[in-house]
Amino acid sequence: MPSVYIKTYGCQMNVRDSEQVSRQLQARGYTLAEGERDADVILINTCSVRDQAEQKAMNKMGALAQLKKAKPDLVLGFMGCMAQSRGADILDRLPDVDLIAGTQKFHEVANMVDRLRGVGSAPAATGAEVVAPDLASLPLPAAPADRRAPLVDIASEKGSQNTIREHVLAPKQVTAFVSIMQGCNMRCTFCIVPSTRGEERSRPIDDIVREVQWLAASGVKEVTLLGQIVNLYGRHEFPAVDGKSPFVQLLEAVCDVQGIERVRFTSPHPIGFRKDLVAAFGRLPKLCGHVHLPLQSGSNRLLRQMHRGYTAEAYLKLVAQLREANPDIALTTDIIVGFPGETEEDFAATVHVMREAQFDNSFIFRYSPRKDTPAATMDEQLPEDVKMDRNQRLLAVQDEIAKERNLRLVGQEVEVLVEGESKTNPFRYSGRTRCNKIVILEANERWRGQLLPVRIRETTGYTYYAEPSLTADTLDTTVA
Ligand code: SF4
């Protein structure tokens, strides 16, 4: 049986898209290889958010191309955002690549792989146009003369958002991602996503609910709804009902699915938090108390330049409203340092908002110019050392805030959904609190998949250590 290995870079959307591709290949008889050396097909799902992520994927593929010397039939492919933005140009640098599939073509990857391997000649199932690269324009020598022609398909396709809906679940898997929409129309000036993921397109509520019901019936207890601008779900397709946006209607419907105990979503935009969504955090018990709320900058001047659509004051007001709706809510954020023209004053404004908002964690990124985005050609691009310095200073502020906030949890009882072996220590189990904090416990197979009350013993920063807060006898009847 042929085997496939998929390497995924980037966000949860990419993880989810790779899972769909795995599922389709498995349905055609492919097995999932443990590592790239065992595989007959190697696919890299790429990310374009930063230049570094693209370079990493290109370098990785360059190294994998060496495997072809010993294994000429090996199929090498790129999928996802970088495949979409660079298309056939990738072949200039990496002529051994056989397959390039864009972000609206994940459902075609299994067909493309079969065609490259000479298995049948399945046409694109949805009538999609397969666009061959202009091989005549490639530099010589590009590849051996008998090499099969690469397949490149980065066309857009109506309805492609409805194709990411199947899962590959591990035994006793209790959490799952559910892709509810694709694309983003916001045009933030630093972001490449609108060109790599296309216009906003949402799946119907009924279809998503059926998928979540299937997950629940398979043992999943927690779902995370995914979209590039997730809380603006359905705004072009579905009407508001009783003052509730399509996204809040969807949250209610997903929370109603029997067997699902927890619901999360990522990544939202601050402008998508209207009253109905803020109120949902106070009235939907299954909606977890954690919001990842990208700030990007605390400077109103830069927020305008970034085209973010809110001010620092409006952002902080939203933070206060969320904390009012759920006082235990955890807030995390994304911040860019070194955006073109960022002054020390702008940076100080970001530090101020960080201190005011008291984030539980922040993902801080040094600005990286992205192809064809307005910010890439703005004046006053900052040198790397300035970006690095601000990154370090902001990290220090965040660490100080997190330390203080995290210590508050020590000694408290919280509910943990136990997921299984810890990623850093397979002899321990790990789970997450409703606020998305990682908790390490002693390994006990009976706890896997359980919502377990635990008492936090200590924290080392962003990780917590805990013990079940019930006695073993009580657990026998409570957690069976
Ligand atoms: S809202 Fe997010 S995904 Fe959309 S353009 Fe802005 S940063 Fe990119």
Side-chain angles (χ1 to χ4, degrees):
M1 254 194 283
S3 62
V4 60
Y5 181 77
I6 303 182
K7 170 94 188 150
T8 304
Y9 293 101
C11 64
Q12 292 102 326
M13 294 287 282
N14 276 17
V15 173
R16 180 70 196 97
D17 296 336
S18 292
E19 187 185 1
Q20 177 68 42
V21 172
S22 298
R23 176 74 191 82
Q24 282 178 335
L25 284 162
Q26 280 181 298
R28 288 169 186 238
Y30 289 79
T31 58
L32 299 183
E34 291 282 317
E36 49 213 33
R37 288 186 179 275
D38 311 320
D40 302 300
V41 178
I42 303 177
L43 302 171
I44 299 186
N45 198 359
T46 55
C47 169
S48 283
V49 151
R50 273 171 293 286
D51 183 55
Q52 201 187 20
E54 290 200 352
Q55 291 313 322
K56 221 169 163 181
M58 293 291 268
N59 293 341
K60 178 78 185 169
M61 189 60 93
L64 290 173
Q66 300 302 316
L67 297 176
K68 270 205 169 186
K69 290 192 180 120
K71 211 173 178 183
D73 289 337
L74 179 67
V75 171
L76 295 177
F78 271 129
M79 314 183 286
C81 289
M82 186 184 74
Q84 183 71 43
S85 71
R86 297 194 180 208
D89 290 350
I90 289 173
L91 299 168
D92 293 348
R93 184 167 145 194
L94 294 167
D96 283 313
V97 170
D98 303 288
L99 177 161
I100 296 174
T103 54
Q104 303 196 28
K105 296 295 173 181
F106 289 109
H107 59 293
E108 288 298 339
V109 170
N111 271 342
M112 293 167 84
V113 168
D114 271 356
R115 289 175 64 187
L116 286 161
R117 296 187 58 255
V119 182
S121 56
T126 54
E129 185 193 5
V130 175
V131 187
D134 178 9
L135 292 178
S137 66
L138 296 179
L140 292 173
D146 61 351
R147 184 179 180 281
R148 63 196 156 211
L151 293 180
V152 181
D153 190 353
I154 57 169
S156 56
E157 188 173 326
K158 205 165 181 271
S160 60
Q161 74 275 17
N162 298 320
T163 62
I164 311 294
R165 59 208 298 227
E166 294 168 301
H167 293 261
V168 181
L169 296 180
K172 297 195 180 177
Q173 183 174 329
V174 283
T175 63
F177 294 135
V178 175
S179 179
I180 65 168
M181 68 181 297
Q182 293 281 338
C184 177
N185 293 7
M186 290 302 288
R187 304 281 184 273
C188 298
T189 55
F190 53 81
C191 183
I192 199 171
V193 164
S195 65
T196 59
R197 291 276 176 170
E199 299 283 304
E200 290 166 22
R201 293 107 56 210
S202 297
R203 297 172 59 194
I205 290 182
D206 288 357
D207 194 36
I208 298 167
V209 167
R210 269 195 298 278
E211 180 178 333
V212 174
Q213 285 168 336
W214 183 89
L215 288 167
S218 308
V220 167
K221 293 194 171 143
E222 176 183 302
V223 290
T224 302
L225 308 180
L226 300 179
Q228 273 90 27
I229 186 143
V230 71
N231 53 341
L232 294 181
Y233 162 86
R235 65 172 166 158
H236 307 293
E237 294 93 345
F238 315 119
V241 175
D242 298 333
K244 292 177 201 159
S245 67
F247 185 59
V248 171
Q249 295 168 45
L250 174 67
L251 283 178
E252 287 179 349
V254 170
C255 285
D256 279 347
V257 173
Q258 218 181 352
I260 294 297
E261 305 285 353
R262 290 174 165 194
V263 178
R264 304 182 187 276
F265 59 82
T266 200
S267 266
H269 191 296
I271 67 155
F273 278 89
R274 304 274 156 77
K275 275 189 189 150
D276 58 334
L277 180 52
V278 172
F281 282 93
R283 72 180 176 84
L284 296 178
K286 292 184 184 176
L287 183 59
C288 288
H290 169 227
V291 175
H292 183 70
L293 194 64
L295 167 66
Q296 309 302 7
S297 172
S299 154
N300 287 339
R301 191 181 73 83
L302 286 196
L303 285 170
R304 259 194 317 277
Q305 300 271 315
M306 290 176 168
H307 201 198
R308 289 292 289 173
Y310 53 84
T311 60
E313 293 75 24
Y315 183 95
L316 287 172
K317 190 171 165 197
L318 174 59
V319 166
Q321 287 167 341
L322 286 165
R323 292 218 161 103
E324 196 181 327
N326 178 350
D328 294 330
I329 209 160
L331 296 175
T332 54
T333 197
D334 293 330
I335 297 176
I336 295 172
V337 290
F339 186 79
E342 184 187 64
T343 61
E344 269 300 316
E345 202 181 342
D346 294 319
F347 179 69
T350 301
V351 173
H352 170 74
V353 176
M354 179 181 262
R355 289 201 186 279
E356 288 290 306
Q358 292 283 297
F359 297 116
D360 291 76
N361 199 358
S362 297
F363 298 89
I364 301 167
F365 304 101
R366 297 193 299 281
Y367 172 73
S368 158
R370 306 311 298 123
K371 187 167 80 98
D372 299 332
T373 58
T377 52
M378 283 179 183
D379 293 338
E380 298 183 76
Q381 300 284 330
L382 299 191
E384 271 312 304
D385 59 338
V386 172
K387 296 180 194 174
M388 190 75 86
D389 174 60
R390 290 182 186 163
N391 189 347
Q392 294 306 326
R393 283 154 64 200
L394 203 57
L395 264 178
V397 175
Q398 178 57 57
D399 282 349
E400 183 195 311
I401 294 168
K403 200 170 167 194
E404 197 192 315
R405 286 186 71 77
N406 291 348
L407 279 174
R408 288 189 210 161
L409 262 191
V410 175
Q412 296 206 16
E413 188 178 281
V414 293
E415 175 201 271
V416 166
L417 177 57
V418 182
E419 293 172 20
E421 289 81 1
S422 153
K423 283 196 183 111
T424 49
N425 181 351
F427 301 107
R428 295 271 177 181
Y429 275 13
S430 76
R432 283 171 198 267
T433 68
R434 294 179 64 80
C435 293
N436 214 27
K437 310 274 189 195
I438 297 172
V439 176
I440 307 293
L441 300 157
E442 118 192 20
N444 185 330
E445 188 52 26
R446 286 179 50 250
W447 299 343
R448 190 195 291 268
Q450 303 297 337
L451 288 164
L452 194 67
V454 303
R455 192 165 296 282
I456 302 289
R457 178 167 31 92
E458 60 181 305
T459 176
T460 55
Y462 294 97
T463 303
Y464 295 85
Y465 296 84
E467 274 114 27
S469 49
L470 301 178
T471 64
D473 287 351
T474 323
L475 281 169
D476 278 336
T477 51
T478 311
V479 196

